[in-house]
Amino acid sequence: EAQVTQNPRYLITVTGKKLTVTCSQNMNHEYMSWYRQDPGLGLRQIYYSMNVEVTDKGDVPEGYKVSRKEKRNFPLILESPSPNQTSLYFCASSFTGGHREQYFGPGTRLTVT
Amino acid sequence: AQSVTQPDIHITVSEGASLELRCNYSYGATPYLFWYVQSPGQGLQLLLKYFSGDTLVQGIKGFEAEFKRSQSSFNLRKPSVHWSDAAEYFCAVGANTGNQFYFGTGTSLTVIP
């Protein structure tokens, strides 16, 4: 089944404790992206990647890191999480480019206390 | 810069009534436009998309949308709403340069019997 998977689905952590949210797709997509969803703000793009070893900032990259060492994986790293990063996070992928249809993962709800 | 505006934060309609959700975008060139739906606790599912050609596009679940360049709009419509359509709806625009993707803030739809 073609899909985007994220782990974990739910995470509660404390300020400053490094964490990684994994994202994997099995559709051989070149483009992958991370979004955060906050009430009243919709989804905002954090980082995106056009292909292996090619990443770029979205609208809200501060406090986040990403890497793309393999085509199928695009982990999101919070090196020192803060409470303002409490949010619902979505990973997405598409065949090529952000202007094409994106397929979304199920989301990761992160709480930073 | 690109942007997407969904002026209606929340809409309530009766089951069987028609529906129109508004979306306005700001983009310098021909945009790639999308409508996504998010059911409670779920990820995002693509309803329909517009890349070029016929300005009236059909999507899944009986939805359609019309691209009006003169009004910079891409409104979503459905002639008869079902209770299962209750969800959050997001309009989005993709850039054919820069590879970023922009979402509106969403419209929450309530369907009453």
Side-chain angles (χ1 to χ4, degrees):
Chain A
E1 177 189 356
Q3 61 183 348
V4 178
T5 57
Q6 296 177 226
N7 283 291
R9 294 289 312 280
Y10 302 90
L11 180 59
I12 300 174
T13 189
V14 297
T15 300
K17 186 177 182 181
K18 180 179 179 179
L19 66 92
T20 300
V21 184
T22 65
C23 172
S24 183
Q25 50 92 7
N26 62 0
M27 295 170 279
N28 201 36
H29 284 171
E30 292 184 350
Y31 181 95
M32 296 187 74
S33 182
W34 276 102
Y35 300 88
R36 61 177 289 173
Q37 182 179 14
D38 302 290
L41 298 178
L43 282 84
R44 294 177 292 168
Q45 194 170 36
I46 303 171
Y47 270 95
Y48 61 93
S49 169
M50 290 299 297
N51 213 322
V52 175
E53 302 292 3
V54 180
T55 63
D56 209 345
K57 297 177 180 178
D59 280 342
V60 289
E62 295 77 19
Y64 304 95
K65 285 178 56 177
V66 293
S67 68
R68 188 94 181 270
K69 293 182 169 46
E70 304 170 282
K71 196 171 187 179
R72 64 183 292 125
N73 296 322
F74 190 46
L76 179 70
I77 303 160
L78 285 72
E79 297 221 325
S80 183
S82 63
N84 65 11
Q85 292 178 297
T86 292
S87 187
L88 179 59
Y89 292 86
F90 287 101
C91 180
S93 70
S94 71
F95 280 107
T96 175
H99 56 286
R100 308 301 290 187
E101 172 187 351
Q102 294 190 57
Y103 296 80
F104 283 81
T108 294
R109 186 165 293 282
L110 172 66
T111 302
V112 183
T113 61
Chain B
Q2 296 86 351
S3 67
V4 180
T5 301
Q6 292 181 247
D8 303 306
I9 296 173
H10 185 256
I11 284 181
T12 299
V13 299
S14 298
E15 191 168 15
S18 64
L19 172 70
E20 182 168 27
L21 303 182
R22 296 183 291 165
C23 173
N24 293 97
Y25 66 90
S26 172
Y27 186 61
T30 299
Y32 296 78
L33 295 162
F34 306 83
W35 275 99
Y36 284 86
V37 61
Q38 184 182 31
S39 298
Q42 303 296 313
L44 279 79
Q45 180 183 23
L46 180 71
L47 282 176
L48 47 77
K49 59 192 177 188
Y50 172 79
F51 292 164
S52 65
D54 193 348
T55 57
L56 183 64
V57 293
Q58 303 296 320
I60 63 171
K61 304 185 181 187
F63 285 92
E64 67 178 26
E66 186 171 12
F67 170 60
K68 292 186 178 180
R69 184 188 302 274
S70 62
Q71 298 177 22
S72 297
S73 69
F74 188 56
N75 293 349
L76 182 72
R77 301 193 294 247
K78 186 169 184 178
S80 178
V81 170
H82 188 263
W83 64 266
S84 61
D85 293 324
E88 185 111 25
Y89 291 81
F90 292 95
C91 182
V93 60
N96 59 2
T97 57
N99 295 301
Q100 287 189 254
F101 204 75
Y102 301 91
F103 281 86
T105 52
T107 297
S108 177
L109 174 65
T110 297
V111 180
I112 56 177

